[in-house]
């Protein structure tokens, strides 16, 4: 700070006290001197204080991985509306294959002197992805919030849906319907939300004496095509129901089942994740686990604005409970493959019955509450 004051003062030809008054918005400085000091600040490459950035300081970056998955446009609408209520404008940054990277967007947003950044579905969720651009955000002390599970030790506040609870809800539902050969369709092995869901599956299988062969878990791309390819392999492995890490994957799974000559849900049950737009309008309407994105989006904005207002916001994870939405893509397992009774499942140690219940909810019901969790490091 002292070095910055000295450099700007020398550049402009005024005292360090004058520069300090400008940077802190204090009176007693002419408008001409004030503008000269701010211009010198820009020329020397120093960041203006948030309150002195003008219109650019009311911008907030919203970095998303794509817009083809309907959950992301819905989230963008919620965050954009919540930011507008706080007097900010969202700058939408969407990654594309072979296009602008997340790192490039961070550099662009830093150049535009935005007041903060909300990341959703970013590289922070991938253990093997580069994370250098997050370090640049931290070094600049720029307010930022991550949405959904991240790898350890990145140092940002997080707003997440409980992936373990989501997996347990879906597993409990299929188990209660008599399914014992349950497949799981996930993202890449280094994808943190997928890793948490798989860990919950393993704990559930152990608690309920279920076999979990390696060919009952498929890692694939988050696309309809990826869901189709992965589900086709699960069908060949003999599973009677599949739990998908997104609704888009579930659409691919339904297509794979029909291509294999199976009826959904009579021969093959499918559960999605997100409860994104129009999932109640497909054939059959999709049973899915709903993320409370409205509550999560508003919480992310509140955490970001608190940082912008210089409040101390710990790098903790705010964890939101998902909801199981039972529709028509799940049914009792075919009689020819049922094993044992369809009784109540045993829950993994440390999980409550309420967190893993398979009771249905109707679309439009209120989102479950949130709870603070330990700091960014997650040790499931």
């Amino acid at each position: 700070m002292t070095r910055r004051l000295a450099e700007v003062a020398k550049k402009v030809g005024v005292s360090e006290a004058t520069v300090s008054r400008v940077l802190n918005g204090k009176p007693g400085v002419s408008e001409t001197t004030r503008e000269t000091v701010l211009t010198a600040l820009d020329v020397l490459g120093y960041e203006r204080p948030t309150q002195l950035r003008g219109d650019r300081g009311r911008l907030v970056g919203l970095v998303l991985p794509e817009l083809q998955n309907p959950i992301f446009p819905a989230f963008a609408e919620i965050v954009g509306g919540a930011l507008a209520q706080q007097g900010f404008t969202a700058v939408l940054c969407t990654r594309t294959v072979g296009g602008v990277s997340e790192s490039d967007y961070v550099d662009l947003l830093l150049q535009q002197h935005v007041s903060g950044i909300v990341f959703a579905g970013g590289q922070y969720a991938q253990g093997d992805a580069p994370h250098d651009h997050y370090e640049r955000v931290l070094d600049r002390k720029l307010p930022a919030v991550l949405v959904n599970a991240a790898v350890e030790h990145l140092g940002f506040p997080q707003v997440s849906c409980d992936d373990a609870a989501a997996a347990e809800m879906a597993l409990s539902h299929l188990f209660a319907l008599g399914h014992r050969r349950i497949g799981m369709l996930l993202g890449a092995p280094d994808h943190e939300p997928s890793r948490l869901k798989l860990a919950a599956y393993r704990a559930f299988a152990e608690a309920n004496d279920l076999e979990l062969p390696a060919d009952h878990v498929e890692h694939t791309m988050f696309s309809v095509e990826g869901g189709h390819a992965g589900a086709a392999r699960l069908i060949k492995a003999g599973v009677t129901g599949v739990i998908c890490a997104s609704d888009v994957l579930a659409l691919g799974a339904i297509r794979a089942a029909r291509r294999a000559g199976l009826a959904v849900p009579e021969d093959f049950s499918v559960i999605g994740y997100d409860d994104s737009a129009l999932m109640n309008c497909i054939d059959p309407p999709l049973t899915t686990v709903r993320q409370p994105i409205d509550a999560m989006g508003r919480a992310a904005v509140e955490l970001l604005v608190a940082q912008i207002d210089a409040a101390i916001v710990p790098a903790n994870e705010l964890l939101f409970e998902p909801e199981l939405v039972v529709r028509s893509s799940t049914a009792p397992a075919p009689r020819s493959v049922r094993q044992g009774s369809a009784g109540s499942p045993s829950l993994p140690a440390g999980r409550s019955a309420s967190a893993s219940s398979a009771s249905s909810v109707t679309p439009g019901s209120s989102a479950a509450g949130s709870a603070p969790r330990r700091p960014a490091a997650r040790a499931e």
Side-chain angles (χ1 to χ4, degrees), residues 78-220:
I78 291 165
V79 170
L83 285 170
Q85 291 176 352
Q86 299 280 354
F88 294 91
T89 300
V91 179
L92 183 60
C93 303
T94 307
R95 303 197 327 258
T96 57
V97 177
V100 181
S101 68
E102 188 174 76
S103 178
D104 292 334
Y105 275 128
V106 166
D107 288 339
L108 176 63
L109 293 170
L110 291 175
Q111 291 170 13
Q112 293 300 312
H113 302 296
V114 295
S115 291
I117 304 177
V118 176
F119 294 94
Q123 289 175 284
Y124 57 84
Q126 299 171 251
D128 296 335
H131 298 137
D132 295 349
H133 51 291
Y134 300 119
E135 292 292 333
R136 296 199 293 276
V137 174
L138 287 173
D139 290 343
R140 292 282 289 269
K141 295 182 171 34
L142 183 68
V145 176
L146 309 182
V147 178
N148 275 334
V151 298
E152 298 178 354
H153 309 311
L154 288 181
F156 296 98
Q158 292 174 231
V159 174
S160 302
C161 188
D162 191 332
D163 293 289
E168 288 168 13
M169 288 176 179
L171 287 161
S172 297
H173 177 59
L174 289 182
F175 189 94
L177 291 172
H179 293 269
R180 297 298 181 267
R181 297 179 61 83
I182 301 170
M184 187 163 275
L185 198 52
L186 303 170
D190 71 326
H191 182 244
E192 187 67 7
S194 295
R195 190 188 70 79
L196 293 171
K197 291 181 177 72
L198 180 57
Y201 187 4
R202 287 171 175 155
F204 184 93
E206 182 177 357
N208 291 279
D209 296 323
L210 290 179
E211 293 185 8
L212 181 51
D215 61 2
H216 283 194
V217 176
E218 285 289 334
H219 295 279
T220 188

Side-chain angles (χ1 to χ4, degrees), residues 247-325:
D247 291 339
V248 172
L249 288 177
L251 296 179
I254 291 173
R255 189 170 75 178
R258 287 174 174 163
R259 294 279 176 87
L262 301 178
V264 177
E266 292 81 4
D267 303 318
F268 189 68
S269 290
V270 178
I271 298 181
Y273 181 73
D274 284 336
D275 195 26
S276 44
L278 304 181
M279 290 302 108
N280 61 332
C281 299
I282 66 171
D283 181 25
L286 184 67
T287 295
T288 187
V289 179
R290 174 185 295 159
Q291 288 198 77
I293 62 168
D294 187 85
M296 290 170 62
R298 293 184 179 279
V301 171
E302 289 177 8
L303 288 174
L304 188 76
V305 172
Q307 293 176 72
I308 293 171
D309 291 341
I312 297 176
V313 179
N316 291 341
E317 182 181 40
L318 196 62
L319 204 64
F320 284 76
E321 196 76 5
E323 295 177 278
L324 179 69
V325 183

Side-chain angles (χ1 to χ4, degrees), residues 62-67 72-73 75-76 92-95 118-121:
L62 175 56
V63 183
L64 303 177
E66 56 163 312
L67 292 179
F72 290 118
F75 183 77
L92 183 60
C93 303
T94 307
R95 303 197 327 258
V118 176
F119 294 94

Side-chain angles (χ1 to χ4, degrees), residues 324-369:
L324 179 69
V325 183
V326 178
R327 297 191 179 107
S328 303
S329 66
T330 51
R335 287 188 178 182
S336 60
V337 297
R338 285 186 205 171
Q339 301 174 16
S341 63
S344 299
S346 300
L347 303 181
R351 300 296 301 184
S352 66
S354 61
S356 297
S357 69
S359 59
S360 63
V361 298
T362 56
S365 63
S366 61

